[in-house]
Every structure is written in structure tokens, then in C-alpha cells.
Amino acid sequence: MTMIVRFVDVSKPSDNESESITIREHFIGFIPLQETTGAFIAETLLEQLKLIQLPIENLRGQGYDNGSNMKGKQNGAQKRILDLNPLAFFVPCNAHSLNLVVNDAARCCLEATTFFGLVQQIYNYFSTSTKRWQVLISHISDLGITVKPLSETRWESRIDALKPLRYHFGNIYDALIEIFEDTSLSGPSGNTSRVEAKGFADAVSNFKFVVSLVTWYNILFEVNLTSKLLQNKEADLNSATRQLQVTNNYLITCRCDKGFQQVLTDATEIANEIQIVPNFETEDQVRNRRKKRQFDYEAREEAPQDPKQKFKTGFYYAVLDMAIQSIEERFQQLQKYNSLFGFLYDIYSIKKKSTEDLLKDCNNLEKSLMHNGNKDIDAEDLRCELEAIARRLPKPMPPQEVLLFILQNKLLDNVPNVSVALRILLTLPVSVASGERSFSKLKLIKSYIRSTMLEKRLVGLATISIEHTQAAALDLAEMVTKFAKEKARKVRF
């Protein structure tokens, strides 16, 4: 398990420096776990906070992935920490939640599962043979791309696997046909290779596959853009909610006859490239078992007979409906916190708001930041301070710039409630991308050459690599001198 601390650094100016407000995320270390239960993980986190002398009472946010041992509402690690400190708001990693949205959509129907299985099989077919790979390269070498495998964990990254098929479908199809027509491939293995090439060529030349390709590429392209924005360290609740709403609106826009027709138009262009008929083939109908009706007025449920309509409802609408529903369900927590802190994102416009509405928002925030009779802010004071700051802001500003404006004008002592509320808002994590990046560093550091490296040295090297900015600012001469003094041995003659 990796541990990252996020906080807002309010740097007061020195002689030659200017004021700055910086959101910082620092790597604490890799923590070994003997158990993966929520109780043990929570206990381990509390021990680590105690070691670095960070009181649990000062914790105002926590973010994890969507594992049941972390986000569980009854026994998850976040719930056990919330029991100790209800002010430690739990925000699940929104980038991971978006990944699960695509995962849900990709498994909602048989056609979607079959499509991704075929894409992976095409990659396996070319990559497991040097000769077949060279045939593929001869068709796409000038394009600077190759087929890629599907990511097992990052579903939004499957856009990389679909892009070569989406824009260079004809070249890949020609490579399969060339292998099938290569008479030099003989013997059991050669014949098997040719038969597989023919099978893949027939499978991808189906118009259903082409329409599925265009549909999934459009969805994954949109999701991938939103995922990249959510992984930004500067992302906040408001921007994350806004980006997710853009993605949700895009999916809703696609779910209509006009959106389906546009997909068919794009798929027809690809189909014409390899000279296949852009029509849905009629499948062999399996006779359904006749069910006895309880009442004479019950109508029979007739499945759509038109193959185009069947594909539209059974695949296209099914995938989009599952994605839209999953977005609404998985981001309820984010929307809750955004509605709680949302009025702080546009302090400049507060002067247009009625006193009663502003006080209501401040009271809701005060209740959320109160525990055991102690509260971080006072609602009435916060209202007065917000109105005073709103009158002085020269233009609309995001929370970070408002906090900088307060610091530059030396108003921290005059508006303490606004300062505290903004710092808590900026501290709340949107994703755990920094933690995921630390695991990427771990893979680079602990190579097979360093397979015997112990935990202490591994964490030390990872800290130097991840926190390279702070490491570069260290005085090495001073550190060497301090190390030499601690390791000095007295020699007696």
C-alpha cells in the first residue's frame, strides 16, 4: 500500500519571494500489509499518521480506490476512520470510478464482450509470430502505428487498442488476407495460421463489428479525455463534476436515432474501404419456447425481427444506458460534496445572492465541519466574510486564486473562516493518481537486478525518485557530515 499526504501550502513571503498558494501531494512511503481487511488497513494508516505526528483530528479528507475493503460502508477502511473523525470526508477515486463505468458498459451484453475478445485475439494472432508481425508491419509501416493489446485494468486506455482498427481498418484487413493467400505457409502450423487469418478476416468484415468499433471508439475517446483531466493534481470537486457532466451529456446525446445514424454513417465509410455490404445480416432464428399465458388478454412478447433494430436495442442502446446509469450511481458522493462546497467556487457572484440563501449554505457547511461540539467555521461569520471578500474581488476567481488574493492583501487574520473553508475544499482529493504513479516508480526501481532489495532501502530510493524536487534542494555536504558523525567510531590505541 502506498501513502500520499495532500495539503494546501500557504507560503508567506520572505525578503525576495512572493506569496503563493500551492496544492501539494507528498509521498510518505510504501507500507507492507499482512492483511487486506478494512480493519487492518485502517489500523495501519492510523499507526503511520502517528509516526509522522499528524493527529487524526486534523484529517479533513481521505481518498482510496473502489475496493470493497477501502470504500465499504460498514467495514471499509474509510468507514472506520470516519467513526474516529467524521470530518475526514471520503472521496472515492473518480478516475477509477470512471474506469468502472466503462467496465460495467463493456460487460452489459454478449455483443460487447465478444467485440473486445475479438480485438484481443487479433493482437495475439499477429504478436505471437514474427512472420505474421512482419506482414502486418509491411502494411502499416508508413503509418507509424501497430496493433496493441487491451489493458486488463485501465478500460479507458483501450482506446489505444481500438485506434489502429478505427482509422487503418483496411490495412489490417489486407494483412489478414495476405496471410490467408500465402501458399508458402504449409504443414499443420501453416494451414492453421491461414485458417485463423481467414476466420479473423471474416469476423472483422461483418458490418456489426464495424459499427461496434465506431461505437466503442467514440465512447472510449470521450471517457479517456475526462479521465486524464480527473488525474490532474490541480483538479477540484467542481471541475471534476463539470467534466463528468460533459461526458454524461455526450452519452445522452448519442442515445438517439440521430446519434445511431451518425455511427452508421462512419461505419459505412469503413465498410466501403474493404468493399463489404453495409447491412446487418439476418441471424438464424432460434425458436423460442412457447409460454402458457395466464390470461387471454396477455399479449405475446415479440422480439424485434429487423436485424438493424435488434442491434440498435440489444447493443447500442444497452451499452449507452448502462454507461449513463453507472455514471449517475458511482458519482453520487462527488455530487454530494460538490453541492456542499459548491458556493465557494464562485465567491465573486455571492453579492448577487440573497442573505438567506447564503446563510443556509454556510449553515450546512458548518454542520458538516462540526464534531464533538468543536467546529472549524462559524456560519454567521463565514457569511459576513464572504460578502466582504466578494465586494473586493476584481473579477471571478477560482478558490485557489481567492485564497491567494487574501494572502497578498494580508487579510488572513480578518477572514479566518473563509481561509479555513477554502483550504479544506482544496485539500479534498479528486483521484488517487499520485498513489498510482508511485507504483509506476516502484516498477522502475525494483527491477530484476534489485530483486533482493529490502523494504527500507526500496522506500528510500522511491522517496528520492518521487520527491526529486526536494531531494535536489538538499545540501549533500551537510548530509555527509551528519552521516559521518553518526557513524564515527572511537579508536583506542
Side-chain angles (χ1 to χ4, degrees), residues 102 105-107 110-122 150 155 158-159 161-162 209 216 220:
V102 183
R107 298 179 179 179
L110 181 62
E111 288 81 0
T113 307
T114 304
F115 169 78
F116 284 110
L118 181 56
V119 172
Q120 180 64 36
Q121 290 174 11
I122 292 174
L150 298 174
W155 277 82
R158 296 195 169 199
I159 187 71
L162 298 187
F209 177 84
W216 274 114
L220 292 179

Side-chain angles (χ1 to χ4, degrees), residues 45 50-51 56 66 94 104 122 128 139 144 146 170 203 210 216 227 239 275 288 350 355 397 401 427 434 437 486:
L45 288 173
K50 187 176 181 180
L51 285 176
I56 184 67
N66 285 269
N94 293 287
D104 295 339
I122 292 174
T128 52
H139 284 271
T146 57
V210 180
W216 274 114
S227 179
S239 63
Q275 298 178 352
N288 294 328
I350 280 180
T355 304
M397 296 179 178
E401 293 184 13
T427 301
S434 296
R437 294 187 190 105
E486 291 182 354

Side-chain angles (χ1 to χ4, degrees), residues 344 347 377 381-382 385-386 389 402-403 406 415-423:
L344 296 177
I347 296 179
I377 62 171
D381 291 343
L382 178 61
E385 293 173 11
L386 285 173
I389 290 296
V402 173
L403 196 55
I406 294 173
V415 288
N417 291 276
V418 174
S419 174
V420 170
L422 291 178
R423 288 165 68 180

Side-chain angles (χ1 to χ4, degrees), residues 14-61:
S14 58
D15 295 336
N16 298 322
E17 295 180 354
S18 59
E19 300 88 344
S20 64
I21 300 293
T22 309
I23 301 174
R24 299 191 181 277
E25 293 182 353
H26 287 303
F27 172 75
I28 301 300
F30 296 115
I31 306 171
L33 295 175
Q34 285 72 37
E35 299 178 21
T36 57
T37 61
F40 186 84
I41 292 175
E43 182 180 350
T44 304
L45 288 173
L46 293 174
E47 290 177 358
Q48 293 297 320
L49 290 174
K50 187 176 181 180
L51 285 176
I52 59 179
Q53 299 180 356
L54 287 180
I56 184 67
E57 295 79 13
N58 294 342
L59 188 64
R60 290 298 178 270

Side-chain angles (χ1 to χ4, degrees), residues 104-156:
D104 295 339
R107 298 179 179 179
C108 70
C109 61
L110 181 62
E111 288 81 0
T113 307
T114 304
F115 169 78
F116 284 110
L118 181 56
V119 172
Q120 180 64 36
Q121 290 174 11
I122 292 174
Y123 169 78
N124 293 338
Y125 177 74
F126 284 112
S127 63
T128 52
S129 170
T130 305
K131 184 173 183 179
R132 293 196 293 261
W133 189 262
Q134 290 301 321
V135 173
L136 175 65
I137 293 299
S138 66
H139 284 271
I140 61 176
S141 59
D142 297 337
L143 305 175
I145 62 166
T146 57
V147 292
K148 292 182 173 60
L150 298 174
S151 174
E152 292 295 331
T153 54
R154 299 178 59 204
W155 277 82
E156 77 277 357

Side-chain angles (χ1 to χ4, degrees), residues 119-324:
V119 172
Q120 180 64 36
Q121 290 174 11
I122 292 174
Y123 169 78
N124 293 338
Y125 177 74
F126 284 112
S127 63
T128 52
S129 170
T130 305
K131 184 173 183 179
R132 293 196 293 261
W133 189 262
Q134 290 301 321
V135 173
L136 175 65
I137 293 299
S138 66
H139 284 271
I140 61 176
S141 59
D142 297 337
L143 305 175
I145 62 166
T146 57
V147 292
K148 292 182 173 60
L150 298 174
S151 174
E152 292 295 331
T153 54
R154 299 178 59 204
W155 277 82
E156 77 277 357
S157 294
R158 296 195 169 199
I159 187 71
D160 297 331
L162 298 187
K163 190 173 183 179
L165 286 167
R166 170 65 178 85
Y167 291 106
H168 306 289
F169 189 85
N171 302 84
I172 297 174
Y173 178 80
D174 292 341
L176 292 171
I177 294 300
E178 181 178 336
I179 295 174
F180 169 67
E181 296 176 348
D182 187 0
T183 56
S184 64
L185 295 174
S186 58
S189 61
N191 292 332
T192 301
S193 180
R194 294 177 64 188
V195 169
E196 290 178 350
K198 176 61 175 173
F200 288 132
D202 292 340
V204 300
S205 60
N206 189 320
F207 190 60
K208 282 186 178 181
F209 177 84
V210 180
V211 178
S212 300
L213 174 64
V214 175
T215 301
W216 274 114
Y217 182 83
N218 293 342
I219 294 175
L220 292 179
F221 185 80
E222 174 65 26
V223 170
N224 189 49
L225 287 179
T226 302
S227 179
K228 297 299 182 184
L229 293 172
L230 292 179
Q231 295 175 39
N232 188 354
K233 186 173 66 174
E234 302 294 333
D236 53 37
L237 299 177
N238 188 261
S239 63
T241 304
R242 190 167 56 251
Q243 293 300 328
L244 290 168
Q245 189 61 46
V246 170
T247 299
N248 193 47
N249 292 339
Y250 172 77
L251 296 176
I252 293 174
T253 304
C254 291
R255 196 205 177 284
C256 62
D257 293 338
K258 184 178 179 181
F260 183 64
Q261 190 60 43
Q262 181 60 47
V263 170
L264 292 181
T265 301
D266 296 339
T268 301
E269 294 180 3
I270 299 176
N272 293 334
E273 184 179 352
I274 60 174
Q275 298 178 352
I276 63 175
V277 180
N279 291 324
F280 293 94
E281 298 179 358
T282 304
E283 298 178 354
D284 296 333
Q285 296 293 328
V286 179
R287 181 180 178 274
N288 294 328
R289 181 175 65 88
R290 186 183 297 275
K291 296 181 180 180
K292 183 178 180 181
R293 291 180 293 172
Q294 298 294 331
F295 304 98
D296 292 337
Y297 57 80
E298 286 185 349
R300 299 185 184 276
E301 294 183 359
E302 298 291 342
Q305 300 299 321
D306 182 19
K308 176 181 176 181
Q309 185 67 21
K310 185 177 180 181
F311 181 84
K312 178 181 176 181
T313 57
F315 170 79
Y316 186 75
Y317 281 173
V319 169
L320 290 175
D321 287 342
M322 178 57 68
I324 294 170

